[in-house]
Amino acid sequence: MNIDLKEIILIFLRGLFMGSADIVPGVSGGTIALITGIYERLIQAISSIKFMFLKPLIKGDLAGFKDELMEEIDFELFIPLLLGIGIAFITLGKVISYLLDTQTAYTFSFFFGLILASAYILYTKLEDFNIKLILITVIGIILSYIFVGLNPIAANHSLIVIFISGLIAICAMILPGISGSLLLLLLGQYQYMLNALNSRNIMEILVFGIGAVIGILGFSKILNYLLEKYESATMAFLIGIMVGTLRLPVMEITGNIQGSWIPCIILALIAFALIIALEKKFKKE
């Protein structure tokens, strides 16, 4: 098997960007995957996992198990991508916590630019934007606007709740436009899981991870079907979700700003420019 080192590095960088986005409320790792041109491969690779490699393993056929495993799982994608995501989670967890606590308005201004640019890029990928797609987009805007305005649910932090949170959040994390971290925030689990990550609480991270794996294996097949059969409608709805999600950073900025709006605007523009540059760079690659 020939290993393309350049491709592995590019996938690893995508993982870093996806992990960085997934840890931020309001920004979707799925959006970053779409922007960097790896989204369809990722969804197809996940939905292709059917665990058929277990059959020869049960029979004791190790050679057959290896062949089936290599054929069914895209290791060249998953290993560098998950490594990048994991490193981003570990290194950025404390940074994001600090920025959200001390520089809330500026941090969410940056998030605003990221989300707006992501919605714009998704829009440019639509082949046609007719009345039907406009209506679907408006529905997405209304639903996400209402959703973001909900007060966080008061929930305990038992292992079963953490498992269910992982199950739900991962489905959003692989959807362009829907933030898994935002769902965790509304479920009352975001700050708790961020602290668990920062303190290396293995049990809670493991339970959350198991829920995430089960969720992603099931949901990816549904998403793969929607993208194959109703790609434009799905994308239009996700654009609406992104635009409606902008309510979150606007609420946080207006509620925490002290002094001039100019730094907030500059940060939003920088974030917007970064996403556009990122999309062009990976599109070229």
Side-chain angles (χ1 to χ4, degrees), residues 1-39:
M1 179 177 62
N2 295 324
I3 297 176
D4 188 338
L5 184 60
K6 181 182 177 182
E7 178 66 14
I8 288 174
I9 292 173
L10 287 173
I11 292 173
F12 172 76
L13 289 175
R14 288 175 169 95
L16 280 177
F17 292 134
M18 286 177 65
S20 303
D22 276 331
I23 208 167
V24 173
V27 184
S28 167
T31 301
I32 301 299
L34 187 70
I35 289 170
T36 57
I38 203 172
Y39 189 73

Side-chain angles (χ1 to χ4, degrees), residues 4-214:
D4 188 338
L5 184 60
K6 181 182 177 182
E7 178 66 14
I8 288 174
I9 292 173
L10 287 173
I11 292 173
F12 172 76
L13 289 175
R14 288 175 169 95
L16 280 177
F17 292 134
M18 286 177 65
S20 303
D22 276 331
I23 208 167
V24 173
V27 184
S28 167
T31 301
I32 301 299
L34 187 70
I35 289 170
T36 57
I38 203 172
Y39 189 73
E40 289 187 7
R41 179 181 174 184
L42 175 61
I43 296 302
Q44 288 174 1
I46 295 171
S47 61
S48 296
I49 300 176
K50 299 179 176 63
F51 298 99
M52 297 302 293
F53 52 82
L54 293 177
K55 189 179 294 184
L57 180 64
I58 293 172
K59 295 179 180 179
D61 181 6
L62 295 181
F65 165 72
K66 179 183 176 182
D67 292 341
E68 194 71 39
L69 185 69
M70 298 301 295
E71 182 178 341
E72 189 171 321
I73 298 181
D74 190 350
F75 285 105
E76 290 184 29
L77 170 67
F78 286 127
I79 291 176
L81 189 72
L82 292 176
L83 184 62
I85 291 173
I87 290 175
F89 271 35
I90 293 170
T91 56
L92 287 179
K94 292 182 179 179
V95 175
I96 295 296
S97 294
Y98 174 79
L99 290 175
L100 288 173
D101 288 339
T102 63
Q103 305 292 334
T104 307
Y106 293 154
T107 304
F108 276 97
S109 297
F110 192 79
F111 295 168
F112 182 94
L114 294 177
I115 299 169
L116 188 61
S118 301
Y120 169 73
I121 288 174
L122 219 61
Y123 167 75
T124 63
K125 295 183 181 296
L126 286 175
E127 295 181 0
D128 186 26
F129 204 60
N130 51 41
I131 296 297
K132 178 184 176 181
L133 295 183
I134 291 174
L135 289 174
I136 292 172
T137 302
V138 170
I139 292 171
I141 292 173
I142 294 171
L143 290 177
S144 64
Y145 184 86
I146 294 171
F147 179 77
V148 169
L150 297 175
N151 290 322
I153 299 169
N156 61 48
H157 306 295
S158 65
L159 292 181
I160 186 64
V161 171
I162 291 173
F163 171 82
I164 294 172
S165 298
L167 194 74
I168 295 172
I170 196 63
C171 297
M173 285 178 180
I174 62 171
L175 270 175
I178 303 180
S179 167
S181 294
L182 177 59
L183 284 182
L184 286 178
L185 197 64
L186 294 173
L187 290 169
Q189 301 299 321
Y190 178 73
Q191 194 66 46
Y192 185 82
M193 288 309 302
L194 203 57
N195 291 335
L197 182 65
N198 292 334
S199 61
R200 309 291 190 269
N201 191 319
I202 302 301
M203 177 58 71
E204 291 176 341
I205 294 173
L206 182 62
V207 170
F208 184 89
I210 292 171
V213 169
I214 294 173

